Amino acid sequence: MTIDGLISEENMLLAEGPAISSRIRLARNIEQYSFPNWATKETKKEVWDLCIDAFTEMKETFVGVEMGTLSELDRDLLFEQHLISQELAGKDTGSGVFIAHNKTLTIMVNEEDHIRIQALHPGLDLKAAWKQADKLDDELEKRVTYAFSSKLGYLTSCPSNVGTGMRASVMLHLPGLVLMEEMEPVMNGISKIGLAVRGMWGEGTEAAGNMFQISNQITLGRSEKEIVEHLEQIVSELIEHEKNARERLLQDRTIIIKDQVARALGILSCARLITSSEALNFLSMLRLGYSLGVVKDFARNDLDKLFVAIQPAHLQKKRNKTMTSLDRDIFRADILRNFMDKNRLSEKNKLGIKNG
Amino acid sequence: MTIDGLISEENMLLAEGPAISSRIRLARNIEQYSFPNWATKETKKEVWDLCIDAFTEMKETFVGVEMGTLSELDRDLLFEQHLISQELAGKDTGSGVFIAHNKTLTIMVNEEDHIRIQALHPGLDLKAAWKQADKLDDELEKRVTYAFSSKLGYLTSCPSNVGTGMRASVMLHLPGLVLMEEMEPVMNGISKIGLAVRGMWGEGTEAAGNMFQISNQITLGRSEKEIVEHLEQIVSELIEHEKNARERLLQDRTIIIKDQVARALGILSCARLITSSEALNFLSMLRLGYSLGVVKDFARNDLDKLFVAIQPAHLQKKRNKTMTSLDRDIFRADILRNFMDKNRLSEKNKLGIKNG
């Protein structure tokens, strides 16, 4: 598989309901080697080579790629697919990523830590993601010696990851809570119990399209099992809140919500240029309309794929050239109009959305 | 003709291009009678009866109606049709309006002055409106004695109208200047030469739908002819500015303007509820799209009628009941969707609006 193969439109955002995907990330470092941000080029190269050897020995086929060999566009592409972090996208020779298992398993090398294992599963299934990450962790541990303290646990570049080195996170689509104006108290409550809320593309990104990542903050003094179970429990409660909010929206604000969905249909079907965040918000309304039964008869999977397919690097890769922001907005609008046309959503909507 | 007959959807907004309609208003008072705001009920009744006598004697058939006999809804209706002022709509017994000539000629009685003659013509044609108002003024003067000073001219309740008692105004659709962000300097320039800029429904109303009324401020020390010619000249220049702005929009911001028109199409075709001012703005975009040749093949006259037909009183008259603001927003959206459907504007738009 080449990098171009990774850009097939498939991605993980293919679960029905509020829970989009579950992710486990394990931070690991190799004993005797400086952490990447303090390491020399040579040290980083040695770590990279150790990883190549380890992954080559494994049964699983990994596609490995060094950041230095990729164009800026291809790095952005991997980032938009949630395969690498923004930090890794900015790195060079000696830093890279190994990808396997139909993109559910990725290992970033020489990002903030030597090794960052990531397993990504659709829907709310942190246990499955953990099992997969844990299995790879065991395989790797047979081949390299991790920096580990019997007192502290796994040692990491940033103290906030010391301990299990685990970050568990779930991507949630929460338009109901946003529209009912209940996200703020929910976010406050979540941060009080040691969890973090971030936007669709992680730290520092806005919650465009009403997508939120909920993750654990604490990695020390808690077992992996506890972290996973605690997050799963909280997220399950959040999903119930979201479902409840959606029901209330449909019952108490029927016409308002139908209007919002209908306007999203209208704009996605007609606009000649549209920004990424505006498009995400309208796609989010369409996804909500689908879950409420207000919009019907189209491939929701195709809709979900658009959340990633309309991102800047994906658009440019599709056109195979660098594009200005205005050109991207035009191309994005073209793609969205074609999607709406193909699914004849505007026409069906005349029947699908009833008055009252 | 009854009041219900006046609600036929016809109105004056039926001229192509930026100039919608031209209006002449003459303020007159009858000698020996107090101005309406200081007059007793009896005095106002006497003035009203004098007017009935005068209009009955004339060849022309006038429909006369006293405000006290009308429901609030019907008064609002007359106001939305630009047949009476907001001030007259709030008056009672002894105040009223006489309407003739297919609604091009109206005479308000006991508004701010005893008599206010108004003539309204489509497009930019102040001379025609003046001729019509002037003719009626002569007819009336044969039957009542106007309060007139050889030094000051016609005497009026408010000093700002003393002199000719004339206000000439033109309603203009100026989306080009608004979108090119050139309305502010234009408005400043206009007020410096003694003209006023108001919104669609006169004093204190916003310029919803990019509709502006330009009128003279000065009534003293200038002849009627000078007032009319000066305003016509300035408005002609404004229309040239507007046409120029539209050309530049289409040349320099092609995709942006097409996007705006397309979004207006999308929202008017899909929305389930829409406020009056939002609807006016989207209708304004459609009207601009039509003039630029971006949207084609529909009855522009029907579009122009909507500017008035979607106003609150008109909606309620059509449904024949008092409606809440939410119910009106829903009904308004229904009417607009039906209009878009009937003209198949959304479908045609796929062909009509080309990319690039």
Side-chain angles (χ1 to χ4, degrees):
Chain A
M1 189 161 60
T2 63
I3 280 297
D4 282 339
L6 292 173
I7 312 147
S8 78
E9 282 186 24
E10 275 167 57
N11 64 64
M12 297 303 307
L13 295 167
L14 296 176
E16 205 164 332
I20 308 289
S21 58
S22 301
R23 181 161 55 160
I24 293 289
R25 183 266 280 153
L26 301 174
R28 300 290 183 256
N29 288 279
I30 306 176
E31 212 178 49
Q32 307 284 1
Y33 291 87
S34 310
F35 291 135
N37 288 334
W38 291 268
T40 59
K41 261 193 183 176
E42 290 67 34
T43 306
K44 283 204 273 186
K45 186 73 183 122
E46 279 179 58
V47 169
W48 177 252
D49 288 341
L50 274 174
C51 288
I52 288 191
D53 290 346
F55 289 121
T56 310
E57 277 175 44
M58 291 186 201
K59 260 193 214 157
E60 187 90 53
T61 309
F62 287 87
V63 177
V65 60
E66 244 185 303
M67 285 300 114
T69 67
L70 290 182
S71 67
E72 204 180 320
L73 184 60
D74 283 339
R75 298 180 205 189
D76 290 345
L77 204 82
L78 293 175
F79 168 65
E80 287 176 2
Q81 296 216 357
H82 299 276
L83 296 174
I84 66 171
S85 63
Q86 193 137 41
E87 185 169 344
L88 190 74
K91 302 261 178 190
D92 221 312
T93 315
S95 292
V97 63
F98 292 85
I99 302 173
H101 248 301
N102 197 24
K103 301 198 272 184
T104 61
L105 195 63
T106 67
I107 302 97
M108 292 194 285
V109 175
N110 285 325
E111 195 237 28
E112 189 181 296
D113 294 298
H114 293 144
I115 292 167
R116 288 204 160 187
I117 300 167
Q118 281 193 140
L120 191 66
H121 278 239
L124 176 57
D125 198 351
L126 283 167
K127 278 167 193 138
W130 181 37
K131 203 173 152 189
Q132 192 178 22
D134 193 42
K135 197 179 149 218
L136 185 77
D137 189 34
D138 290 346
E139 288 288 317
L140 261 177
E141 205 161 13
K142 290 179 196 161
R143 292 166 175 92
V144 296
T145 311
Y146 283 155
F148 185 83
S149 140
S150 56
K151 202 173 153 196
L152 293 171
Y154 293 102
L155 302 176
T156 56
S157 168
C158 174
S160 70
N161 291 314
V162 167
T164 58
M166 176 195 273
R167 174 156 289 161
S169 66
V170 181
M171 176 93 78
L172 293 168
H173 185 223
L174 305 175
L177 289 169
V178 171
L179 289 170
M180 292 299 281
E181 288 164 25
E182 291 167 12
M183 258 319 278
E184 218 183 287
V186 163
M187 282 170 83
N188 288 339
I190 281 176
S191 62
K192 272 180 197 151
I193 51 171
L195 299 178
V197 185
R198 293 186 178 84
M200 192 169 175
W201 274 274
E203 221 148 340
T205 65
E206 262 179 67
N210 302 314
M211 294 285 185
F212 297 88
Q213 276 188 56
I214 317 286
S215 61
N216 66 308
Q217 293 274 60
I218 298 154
T219 53
L220 194 65
R222 275 197 175 177
S223 74
E224 285 91 339
K225 194 163 172 279
E226 280 170 342
I227 292 170
V228 165
E229 281 175 355
H230 180 240
L231 186 62
E232 275 214 348
Q233 189 213 318
I234 300 297
V235 166
S236 299
E237 284 170 26
L238 248 178
I239 290 171
E240 284 315 302
H241 280 306
E242 168 65 20
K243 285 182 178 169
N244 180 279
R246 289 184 190 186
E247 268 170 41
R248 279 179 290 136
L249 266 180
L250 199 56
Q251 265 182 15
D252 307 341
R253 306 193 189 182
T254 319
I255 186 69
I256 295 171
I257 201 66
K258 285 187 176 176
D259 177 59
Q260 296 268 316
V261 174
R263 282 171 183 241
L265 275 168
I267 291 177
L268 291 172
S269 310
C270 288
R272 256 58 194 171
L273 44 95
I274 193 162
T275 64
S276 175
S277 81
E278 205 189 359
L280 286 180
N281 287 331
F282 290 129
L283 289 172
S284 166
M285 284 311 302
L286 219 55
R287 200 176 188 276
L288 174 65
Y290 183 89
S291 97
L292 294 175
V294 174
V295 195
K296 289 171 195 160
D297 304 327
F298 71 99
R300 206 217 67 256
N301 276 3
D302 290 346
L303 171 71
D304 283 1
K305 286 175 189 169
L306 284 174
F307 279 79
V308 170
I310 58 155
Q311 294 304 317
H314 276 75
L315 293 180
Q316 294 175 83
K317 193 72 188 180
K318 207 164 181 176
R319 270 280 165 89
N320 211 16
K321 63 171 182 183
T322 312
M323 296 165 81
T324 63
S325 166
L326 178 66
D327 283 342
R328 292 201 302 268
D329 288 351
I330 294 172
F331 187 36
R332 185 178 294 115
D334 288 347
I335 289 175
L336 290 166
R337 277 206 317 285
N338 286 341
F339 170 79
M340 301 299 284
D341 248 19
K342 204 180 104 196
N343 286 283
R344 293 178 38 249
L345 274 171
S346 264
E347 281 166 63
K348 282 181 196 161
N349 141 52
K350 282 177 198 163
L351 308 168
I353 302 187
K354 287 172 202 147
N355 292 326
Chain B
M1 188 159 63
T2 63
I3 280 297
D4 281 340
L6 291 174
I7 311 148
S8 77
E9 284 187 21
E10 274 167 55
N11 64 64
M12 296 305 305
L13 295 167
L14 295 176
E16 205 165 332
I20 307 291
S21 59
S22 300
R23 183 161 54 158
I24 293 290
R25 184 266 281 154
L26 302 175
R28 298 288 183 259
N29 288 279
I30 305 177
E31 213 179 47
Q32 307 282 1
Y33 291 88
S34 308
F35 292 135
N37 288 333
W38 291 265
T40 60
K41 262 193 183 175
E42 289 67 34
T43 306
K44 282 203 273 187
K45 186 74 182 122
E46 279 179 59
V47 169
W48 176 251
D49 288 342
L50 274 176
C51 288
I52 288 192
D53 292 346
F55 290 121
T56 310
E57 278 175 43
M58 290 186 202
K59 261 193 214 158
E60 187 92 52
T61 310
F62 286 88
V63 178
V65 60
E66 243 185 304
M67 285 301 111
T69 67
L70 290 182
S71 67
E72 204 181 322
L73 184 60
D74 282 340
R75 298 182 205 188
D76 290 346
L77 205 82
L78 293 175
F79 168 65
E80 286 176 2
Q81 295 214 0
H82 299 275
L83 295 175
I84 66 171
S85 65
Q86 194 137 39
E87 185 169 343
L88 190 74
K91 301 263 177 186
D92 219 313
T93 314
S95 291
V97 63
F98 292 85
I99 303 173
H101 246 306
N102 196 24
K103 299 198 272 184
T104 59
L105 194 61
T106 68
I107 302 96
M108 294 194 286
V109 175
N110 284 325
E111 194 235 31
E112 190 181 294
D113 294 299
H114 292 143
I115 292 166
R116 286 203 162 189
I117 300 167
Q118 282 193 140
L120 190 66
H121 277 238
L124 176 59
D125 198 351
L126 283 169
K127 280 168 191 137
W130 181 38
K131 202 174 153 188
Q132 193 177 21
D134 194 43
K135 196 178 151 219
L136 186 76
D137 190 34
D138 290 344
E139 288 288 317
L140 261 176
E141 207 163 10
K142 291 179 198 163
R143 293 165 174 91
V144 297
T145 311
Y146 284 153
F148 184 83
S149 139
S150 60
K151 204 174 153 193
L152 293 169
Y154 293 101
L155 302 177
T156 55
S157 169
C158 175
S160 70
N161 291 315
V162 166
T164 58
M166 175 194 274
R167 175 156 290 162
S169 67
V170 182
M171 176 94 77
L172 294 168
H173 185 223
L174 305 175
L177 289 169
V178 172
L179 289 169
M180 292 300 281
E181 289 163 26
E182 291 168 12
M183 258 320 275
E184 218 183 287
V186 164
M187 282 169 84
N188 288 341
I190 281 176
S191 62
K192 274 182 197 151
I193 51 171
L195 300 178
V197 185
R198 294 186 176 84
M200 194 169 172
W201 273 273
E203 221 147 338
T205 64
E206 260 180 68
N210 302 315
M211 293 286 184
F212 298 87
Q213 277 188 54
I214 316 287
S215 61
N216 66 307
Q217 294 274 59
I218 298 155
T219 53
L220 194 64
R222 273 196 178 181
S223 73
E224 285 91 340
K225 191 164 174 276
E226 279 171 342
I227 292 170
V228 165
E229 280 176 357
H230 180 240
L231 186 62
E232 276 214 348
Q233 188 213 321
I234 300 297
V235 167
S236 299
E237 283 171 27
L238 249 177
I239 290 171
E240 283 314 302
H241 279 307
E242 168 65 20
K243 285 182 177 169
N244 179 277
R246 290 185 188 184
E247 267 170 40
R248 279 179 290 135
L249 266 180
L250 198 56
Q251 265 182 16
D252 307 342
R253 307 192 188 181
T254 320
I255 186 70
I256 295 171
I257 202 65
K258 286 187 176 176
D259 178 59
Q260 296 269 318
V261 174
R263 283 171 180 239
L265 276 168
I267 290 176
L268 290 172
S269 311
C270 287
R272 256 58 192 167
L273 44 94
I274 193 161
T275 63
S276 175
S277 83
E278 205 188 0
L280 285 180
N281 286 330
F282 290 130
L283 288 173
S284 165
M285 284 310 302
L286 219 55
R287 199 174 189 278
L288 174 65
Y290 182 89
S291 98
L292 293 174
V294 174
V295 195
K296 290 171 195 160
D297 303 328
F298 71 101
R300 206 216 69 255
N301 276 2
D302 290 347
L303 171 71
D304 283 0
K305 286 176 189 169
L306 284 173
F307 279 80
V308 169
I310 58 156
Q311 293 304 315
H314 275 75
L315 294 180
Q316 295 176 83
K317 193 71 189 180
K318 207 166 181 174
R319 272 277 166 89
N320 210 16
K321 64 172 183 184
T322 312
M323 297 167 80
T324 63
S325 166
L326 179 66
D327 283 341
R328 291 201 302 269
D329 289 352
I330 293 171
F331 186 38
R332 186 179 293 115
D334 289 347
I335 289 175
L336 291 166
R337 278 206 315 287
N338 286 341
F339 170 79
M340 300 301 283
D341 249 18
K342 202 180 106 197
N343 286 284
R344 293 176 39 248
L345 274 171
S346 265
E347 281 165 63
K348 282 181 195 160
N349 141 52
K350 281 176 199 163
L351 309 168
I353 302 188
K354 286 173 202 149
N355 293 326

